[in-house]
Amino acid sequence: MKKQKHLFKFMSLIVVLGLLLSACGSKSSSGGSSGSSSKPKEDISKFPLVVKNDKSAVADGSLNYALVSDTPFEGTLNRAFYQGNPDAEVMQFFDEPLFSNNGDYEYTNDGAASYELSNENKTITVTIKDNVNWSDGKPVTAEDYKYSFLVIGSKDYTGVRYGDAIIQSIVGMKDYHAGKAKDISGIKILGEKKLSITFTEANPSLLTGLWPYAMPKHYLGDVPIKDLAKSDKIHKNPIGFGPFKIKKIVPGESVEFVRNDDYYAGKPKLQSLVLKVVNPKVILQSLKKGDVDIAEFPVDQYPAAKGSKNFQFVGTVDLAYSYIGFKLGHWDAKKGVNVMDNPKFADKRLRQAMAYALDEKSVGEKIYNGLRFPATGLIPPSFASWYSKDTNPVGFDPAKAKKLLDEAGYKDVDGDGLREDPKGKKFHINFLSMSGGDTAEPLAKFYMQCWKNVGLDVSLVDGRLAEFNSFYKMIQEDDPKVDVFAAAWGTGTDVDPYGLYGRDVPFNYSHFVSEKNDQLLADGHSVKAFDHDYRQKVYVEWQKYMNDEMPVIPTLFRSAITAANNRVVGYSVDPAAQHVWMNVGVSSKTPDVE
């Protein structure tokens, strides 16, 4: 029986891949078969935001949470240093921001701290509530919040958060970062629980993008900043002020949490919670057997899971998008800037052609059952106030792709169906794609076939998919083997794209720089941008510009769905929900099973 199930899964992938390749091979600019399907497509707006369970939570319950990943979590359990989503999933239970937010992702005064703006919106005064304490019992102080900025701004800091525009605009931050000052002059301690931060100019992203995380100075302060990222105090024994405390970590595999009875917002309903890494290939069976209660579920597996009796789904449009990036240069760590100096993809017509070659509508429908859909730009529709379709998005048009390649001088000189570069030399592209789930390989093959259909010779780096940690190491270190890469961004709650595409930010993995990009990004968080209409106009223009320059190809917007066992109480994916994990419980000691 196991062999038959395995064979069925393998055959299903062959069918999916065949359908995709058929769509990609269509001569129609609309993608041929991409516009039709015999299966009804899902609508993320129809998914509930909160689990349905009218029963009361049992006292001192325990819950199992699946971190769905085909690779171990790295274990850099500090907000200033982590880079991968798996670590963020671990941190959500014990470490949280000082500020809560509303449905538009704007900070409110309902969280661990409150704030006031003054000085024409250039100064924010933050007051941490009296009952907010670290899990070791020590109070969360104004010094702790300031310490997080001292760490991120230090010349010895080894993370990537300094590229944030708001952090850099703190008065005195640049002198501190350059080693010209021993302190950040714009941050003033006004009391044990109160401080003010003054900025060089007002920024409309202040109340969605100000760094909201404190760091326990009494606990971490004796570790040199250059050594913090590798410290056991971050990897093995981290502390926070969230609803749970870490009891035990099995590196890369699991974390056991116990209730933080002194949580400032109230006593959590769960006594304990166990997080464990579960491979995407077995997550459905783990849910059906009741081995896990909650899991962020792979949307490509949704058809097989739909109709399950022992668990339910909640979902929303994700603050994320998938993209394909071009390596246009490198990161100059000494100068702290991106340098665009790779001639291979200097002609934007080549980049545009690679975008027009891809049939993302078929990918969204046939692989993701409609729960992912073609991206129109670099601001996802989860930002309802800022998203616009009017950004001249690139669609599936292989004829146009071929025309652009011809115009750029990439022609099939030898008559073998593959194009040479403008100098008549063999032109090969190395494509880095990540492993994970049953569709990772078919999707990578689909993209490569789409490019081959317009005459481009593309193959996987080292002939295989890369696991998560290796993938990002190659990206961050600008491995010369990588020409293009398929990745995704979680945008965070601040719409400002500067932190991903600015000239001086390490997250700008494509290393695209231009004066116009600099200006548009600066306009987007200028004083003028406090006017909503002005800011929206700037971001529409920026997306049009990026869709023309095409340093990255926006591929898919994402729906985020979460599976929850029927015994789960109080779990919500509503952006406006407060203290989610404090309110989650279970209505029975044992999970429902199918």
Side-chain angles (χ1 to χ4, degrees):
M1 182 62 70
K2 289 183 178 178
K3 184 178 292 187
Q4 290 176 342
K5 287 184 178 179
H6 178 77
L7 180 62
F8 176 76
K9 180 185 291 185
F10 178 71
M11 291 301 295
S12 296
L13 289 179
I14 290 177
V15 171
V16 168
L17 180 57
L19 287 171
L20 284 172
L21 295 183
S22 174
C24 186
S26 170
K27 296 181 180 180
S28 168
S29 63
S30 63
S33 62
S34 66
S36 62
S37 174
S38 60
K39 295 187 301 180
K41 297 299 172 285
E42 300 300 328
D43 182 351
I44 190 62
S45 67
K46 302 295 178 60
F47 281 66
L49 295 173
V50 183
V51 295
K52 298 178 181 178
N53 186 350
D54 296 330
K55 298 178 182 178
S56 299
V58 299
D60 300 332
S62 181
L63 180 143
N64 294 312
Y65 179 93
L67 196 170
V68 182
S69 175
D70 70 335
T71 186
F73 61 86
E74 187 177 82
T76 304
L77 302 180
N78 182 275
R79 300 287 183 175
F81 292 98
Y82 90 98
Q83 295 190 43
N85 184 68
D87 284 346
E89 283 198 59
V90 176
M91 286 187 287
Q92 67 180 316
F93 300 107
F94 76 92
D95 187 35
E96 65 178 46
L98 289 168
F99 308 110
S100 291
N101 59 264
N102 61 24
D104 286 329
Y105 307 104
E106 298 168 328
Y107 294 153
T108 72
N109 287 328
D110 301 322
S114 60
Y115 68 87
E116 292 182 359
L117 291 175
S118 60
N119 186 26
E120 296 181 327
N121 294 329
K122 292 181 181 179
T123 298
I124 185 169
T125 299
V126 178
T127 303
I128 301 168
K129 295 176 180 177
D130 289 337
N131 63 337
V132 180
N133 300 311
W134 297 107
S135 56
D136 64 358
K138 301 291 185 180
V140 178
T141 66
E143 288 284 359
D144 293 327
Y145 192 29
K146 178 179 178 179
Y147 176 61
S148 68
F149 292 102
L150 290 170
V151 168
I152 293 172
S154 171
K155 59 182 177 60
D156 295 326
Y157 173 60
T158 58
V160 295
R161 300 298 187 277
Y162 181 71
D164 181 87
I166 296 177
I167 287 177
Q168 291 188 18
S169 70
I170 297 173
V171 171
M173 176 60 84
K174 291 187 176 180
D175 283 344
Y176 171 72
H177 181 69
K180 297 178 181 179
K182 294 183 179 180
D183 200 1
I184 304 170
S185 59
I187 302 180
K188 305 292 186 184
I189 301 296
L190 305 177
E192 183 185 16
K193 294 271 190 174
K194 189 174 184 178
L195 81 165
S196 66
I197 307 173
T198 299
F199 302 86
T200 56
E201 58 185 20
N203 186 327
S205 285
L206 182 62
L207 296 184
T208 54
L210 173 65
W211 181 254
Y213 298 102
M215 293 174 63
K217 185 177 180 181
H218 71 280
Y219 185 63
L220 299 175
D222 62 339
V223 180
I225 291 174
K226 65 181 179 63
D227 299 326
L228 266 176
K230 298 180 179 179
S231 169
D232 284 352
K233 291 184 177 181
I234 283 177
H235 284 267
K236 295 182 179 180
N237 303 295
I239 65 172
F241 60 86
F244 295 94
K245 302 185 289 186
I246 291 177
K247 181 179 180 180
K248 180 182 178 181
I249 296 178
V250 178
E253 296 181 10
S254 65
V255 183
E256 184 178 350
F257 299 92
V258 294
R259 181 167 58 209
N260 179 4
D261 289 322
D262 295 324
Y263 182 51
Y264 75 94
K267 183 178 178 180
K269 292 180 180 179
L270 293 170
Q271 170 61 34
S272 62
L273 184 150
V274 176
L275 174 148
K276 51 188 175 182
V277 174
V278 179
N279 193 290
K281 294 181 180 179
V282 299
I283 185 58
L284 178 54
Q285 290 304 314
S286 295
L287 284 161
K288 287 185 175 182
K289 292 189 294 184
D291 291 341
V292 296
D293 293 296
I294 294 180
E296 293 186 10
F297 197 77
V299 295
D300 54 306
Q301 297 187 40
Y302 179 74
K306 186 178 181 180
S308 296
K309 303 300 183 183
N310 70 312
F311 63 90
Q312 57 186 285
F313 286 100
V314 291
T316 186
V317 178
D318 204 0
L319 284 165
Y321 57 87
S322 304
Y323 71 97
I324 290 173
F326 297 92
K327 278 293 185 179
L328 303 178
H330 72 280
W331 169 252
D332 187 328
K334 289 185 178 180
K335 295 182 179 180
V337 295
N338 289 284
V339 180
M340 194 166 69
D341 59 356
N342 181 8
K344 188 165 187 174
F345 295 99
D347 192 325
K348 70 180 181 182
R349 290 173 295 184
L350 170 60
R351 306 195 297 266
Q352 292 170 345
M354 293 183 69
Y356 279 113
L358 300 179
D359 181 7
E360 295 299 342
K361 186 176 181 182
S362 287
V363 173
E365 292 181 352
K366 292 183 170 64
I367 280 191
Y368 298 112
N369 203 50
L371 291 173
R372 291 188 184 177
F373 45 101
T376 55
L378 298 176
I379 293 179
S382 41
F383 290 110
S385 296
W386 306 111
Y387 170 70
S388 173
K389 293 182 180 180
D390 185 26
T391 57
N392 298 338
V394 170
F396 177 47
D397 192 339
K400 188 167 186 177
K402 292 176 182 179
K403 182 179 179 182
L404 285 166
L405 290 170
D406 288 340
E407 292 174 355
Y410 294 86
K411 297 182 179 180
D412 180 9
V413 178
D414 297 334
D416 60 357
L418 297 177
R419 297 172 182 265
E420 285 74 35
D421 70 15
K423 295 181 179 180
K425 295 182 179 180
K426 180 179 179 181
F427 187 68
H428 179 77
I429 298 171
N430 291 311
F431 177 42
L432 184 67
S433 192
M434 193 188 303
S435 62
D438 292 331
T439 58
E441 186 173 0
L443 182 57
K445 288 182 176 179
F446 169 65
Y447 283 150
M448 290 188 291
Q449 183 63 51
C450 284
W451 289 321
K452 185 178 181 180
N453 288 346
V454 298
L456 296 174
D457 180 26
V458 185
S459 65
L460 290 173
V461 173
D462 296 328
R464 62 180 183 272
L465 301 176
E467 61 88 26
F468 181 90
N469 295 321
S470 298
F471 177 92
Y472 276 104
K473 182 178 181 181
M474 295 179 79
I475 295 297
Q476 292 157 6
E477 295 180 357
D478 291 324
D479 191 305
K481 291 185 289 187
V482 179
D483 293 323
V484 298
F485 57 95
W489 277 128
T491 63
T493 57
D494 181 17
V495 69
D496 186 358
Y498 180 91
L500 298 179
Y501 297 101
R503 182 182 293 265
D504 55 359
V505 297
F507 278 146
N508 183 354
Y509 291 148
S510 69
H511 310 303
F512 174 72
V513 294
S514 74
E515 291 185 2
K516 184 170 183 178
N517 186 51
D518 294 343
Q519 186 60 57
L520 288 171
L521 291 176
D523 290 344
H525 54 236
S526 66
V527 174
K528 287 184 178 180
F530 277 92
D531 181 294
H532 181 279
D533 291 340
Y534 172 84
R535 195 182 199 197
Q536 187 177 56
K537 182 179 179 181
V538 168
Y539 284 148
V540 168
E541 184 179 355
W542 177 77
Q543 289 184 89
K544 287 181 178 178
Y545 174 68
M546 295 295 274
N547 279 342
D548 179 59
E549 291 292 329
M550 202 59 68
V552 303
I553 303 171
T555 54
L556 293 167
F557 290 140
R558 298 179 163 209
S559 304
I561 60 174
T562 300
N565 191 276
N566 290 336
R567 72 169 179 154
V568 174
V569 176
Y571 181 74
S572 173
V573 293
D574 188 339
Q578 305 294 317
H579 313 301
V580 170
W581 287 108
M582 179 189 77
N583 295 315
V584 171
V586 290
S587 58
S588 65
K589 292 289 186 180
T590 58
D592 281 8
V593 297
E594 186 167 305

